[in-house]
Amino acid sequence: MPSPVVPHSPALLLPKTKAWLLLWLVGLVLGAARPPQHDTAAARQAPEATAPFTNELSPAARRAYAELLKLRIEPARAILRDELNRAPISAGTLLVADCIDFTELMVLQQASRYEAVVAAQDRRLAALEKSAERGPLREYARAEIRLHQAAAQVTYQHEIQGAWSLRQAYQQMQAVVQRYPNFIPARKTLGMCQFMIGSLPAGYHWFLKLLGLPGSVEAGVKNLRLAAQQPHDFQPEARLILALVQETYYKKAEEAAQLVQQLATQQPDNLLYSYLLISLNKRLHRTELALTAYHRRPTGAGYLPVPYLHHMAADLLLYQGNYAASLRANQQFLRDYQGVHYRKDAAFKLYLAAWLSGDHAAAERYRQQIGAGGRTVVEEDAYAQRFVEDKLPLNRTLTRARLQIDGGYYRAALNTLRSFTGSGLLRDQLEDPYRRARAYQGLGRLDSARLFYTRTIALAGKAPYYFGPQSALQMGYLCQAEGQLNMARLYFQKALDSPRHEYKNSTDAKAKVALAALPTAKLR
């Protein structure tokens, strides 16, 4: 279940798509024009002064949430059951109950449960509206549950309702921060929203203005850092969200890896931390470490099944050239997974495993499976669908090299590329120098990496492939690291100015954040 990050749901701390869920959410709701009919008012009069004041979870709700963070759904529900009987409209109890339902819905991707979950969210929101409870936790719970609802609505193709739920949640969280500036959890959620919206490409700005959703990369990071540094009930998520932002957008990979490793070591029974450890090591091209974490992940009664773990493992095995094991892992993913996303990507990886192992009949079956179902919202699925529609043959040498580079096997990839004999296809002519650049960069041979990145950029022109824009993005990072800020700015802008390509959304978001992080020195 891949997702990006909406706080207070472990489901959405499972970061696979780098255009995290809020960025995906806003991108999906273009064209929203009216609020849903079941919407409730955004503001109410303050409760009476005699009502209880709360700003933290009860001990039972805190224990239940700790179990939820481990992706132990039923134990979390069992702990919360008595609390729901004792204080059925307590803000903290309602919030944790919603987190449990929402996490299960998003991880398992069971469309049959969607209506029941949204109805339960409406009941919780109505109870909070009528509650006499005072303090920030009540207002915070309302905004969080509404944000969960926005994510669920968009995931299950109710985009217009999701747009207005997102707008309400954002505005409510702003109000919490303004009224209770020392209530730190709200800083985490507002900061995450500010950052994600602020990193959206310029083409979305008209829509964000229409919805009244201001974003700021700088303000978002500031709020996230504040929430990560101070103790509160939800500090672990704040630390993780900040670390993932810094790893994805600011190239601070080691800090994120160290934090996740530390957390996973402290809580070996925490499946969420194991998931993040696998995901981060995979993204850092550390295949053996990622597979070790996969095999050591906690399993057994009480844990929520996470089918996407098998899809990640299938990729890792593909990088190693273990095609039979990769096939089995992706087949298990498709058997267990009930969602519509990543199905095309899984079929594409099945195709690669069969094709590279020489089973051409099976490869053709999997190629046909790519177009048979699923959606193309996430970039990996869109890439797989484009492979089918363009009908351009893959080059076996370049494909092997790409997988080796993704797995961190840089020397093996360079050896593979030595056997590339050229091709008449523009795509292959661009991919060859780009793969060499990535391999040299992975080995720390940065002069050679720059040579091949600039060669790729020069050859690419306005070609509709990601090799040129990604080369520009990487050159920007390299120039930034060397203190060549004007050159970095030019390369990041070049990545943004590229025509449409397979990974434009995520490339543009990274380039925009990188530009915002550069000092405002004048170009010469």
Side-chain angles (χ1 to χ4, degrees), residues 150-165:
Q153 286 165 337
V154 171
T155 299
Y156 291 92
Q157 302 179 54
H158 294 270
E159 289 88 355
I160 292 176
Q161 292 178 335
W164 287 98
S165 295

Side-chain angles (χ1 to χ4, degrees), residues 288-365:
E288 277 75 18
L289 289 176
L291 280 172
T292 297
Y294 171 74
H295 291 303
R296 291 179 178 174
R297 72 194 187 280
T299 58
Y303 285 101
L304 190 66
V306 183
Y308 193 78
L309 283 163
H310 306 305
H311 186 43
M312 286 198 295
D315 277 358
L316 295 164
L317 294 162
L318 195 59
Y319 303 156
Q320 287 185 330
N322 192 343
Y323 303 130
S326 179
L327 282 164
R328 288 193 297 272
N330 255 331
Q331 287 165 347
Q332 182 175 356
F333 164 68
L334 290 174
R335 281 196 305 271
D336 297 346
Y337 182 59
Q338 298 183 45
V340 295
H341 306 296
Y342 296 95
R343 304 192 78 87
K344 291 180 183 293
D345 183 49
F348 178 60
K349 302 300 175 53
L350 286 166
Y351 166 84
L352 290 180
W355 176 59
L356 289 170
S357 62
D359 189 344
H360 298 292
E364 179 56 24
R365 289 198 304 273

Side-chain angles (χ1 to χ4, degrees), residues 348-429:
F348 178 60
K349 302 300 175 53
L350 286 166
Y351 166 84
L352 290 180
W355 176 59
L356 289 170
S357 62
D359 189 344
H360 298 292
E364 179 56 24
R365 289 198 304 273
Y366 294 131
R367 189 191 67 80
Q368 293 179 8
Q369 186 177 327
I370 295 171
R375 300 177 68 193
T376 56
V377 174
V378 297
E379 289 180 327
E380 291 88 340
D381 287 337
Y383 181 92
Q385 185 65 28
R386 181 171 176 175
F387 161 71
V388 173
E389 292 175 356
D390 286 356
K391 299 181 180 179
L392 288 178
L394 292 177
N395 182 281
R396 192 177 299 272
T397 300
L398 295 176
T399 300
R400 282 203 182 105
R402 173 188 179 176
L403 294 171
Q404 289 167 329
I405 291 167
D406 286 345
Y409 305 113
Y410 304 118
R411 296 187 188 282
L414 288 173
N415 286 332
T416 298
L417 288 167
R418 290 190 182 98
S419 64
F420 179 65
T421 56
S423 166
L425 296 175
L426 174 60
R427 181 184 177 87
D428 293 349
Q429 293 170 15

Side-chain angles (χ1 to χ4, degrees), residues 136-151:
L137 188 60
R138 170 180 174 267
E139 305 303 317
Y140 179 63
R142 291 173 63 222
E144 287 289 343
I145 293 171
R146 184 66 76 189
L147 189 59
H148 291 171
Q149 191 171 70

Side-chain angles (χ1 to χ4, degrees), residues 136-290:
L137 188 60
R138 170 180 174 267
E139 305 303 317
Y140 179 63
R142 291 173 63 222
E144 287 289 343
I145 293 171
R146 184 66 76 189
L147 189 59
H148 291 171
Q149 191 171 70
Q153 286 165 337
V154 171
T155 299
Y156 291 92
Q157 302 179 54
H158 294 270
E159 289 88 355
I160 292 176
Q161 292 178 335
W164 287 98
S165 295
L166 172 61
R167 181 177 186 271
Q168 279 189 294
Y170 190 96
Q171 291 178 338
Q172 288 172 353
M173 198 60 71
Q174 283 182 310
V176 176
V177 170
Q178 290 168 3
R179 187 175 181 184
Y180 303 100
N182 295 323
F183 184 68
I184 302 303
R187 299 280 182 170
K188 169 176 61 65
T189 305
L190 181 62
M192 184 271 300
C193 291
Q194 288 170 324
F195 181 89
M196 288 301 150
I197 292 172
S199 68
L200 282 166
Y204 290 107
H205 289 180
W206 68 270
F207 174 67
L208 298 174
K209 186 176 181 180
L210 176 68
L211 284 183
L213 296 176
S216 169
V217 167
E218 296 84 356
V221 171
K222 182 178 178 181
N223 277 320
L224 281 171
R225 188 171 287 116
L226 179 65
Q229 291 172 347
Q230 298 193 30
H232 54 90
D233 283 328
F234 308 108
Q235 187 184 21
E237 292 110 296
R239 295 177 69 196
L240 286 168
I241 293 168
L242 178 62
L244 293 170
V245 163
Q246 291 177 328
E247 183 268 331
T248 302
Y249 294 95
Y250 296 104
K251 314 308 289 182
K252 294 185 178 181
E254 289 303 327
E255 293 91 332
Q258 288 172 10
L259 172 62
V260 172
Q261 180 64 68
Q262 176 189 16
L263 293 172
T265 301
Q266 290 172 349
Q267 293 190 28
D269 63 337
N270 190 309
L271 182 56
L272 173 63
Y273 294 162
S274 292
Y275 179 105
L276 292 172
L277 188 61
I278 298 164
S279 179
L280 262 177
N281 278 316
K282 179 175 180 285
R283 286 158 59 184
L284 294 175
H285 313 290
R286 299 169 179 173
T287 295
E288 277 75 18
L289 289 176

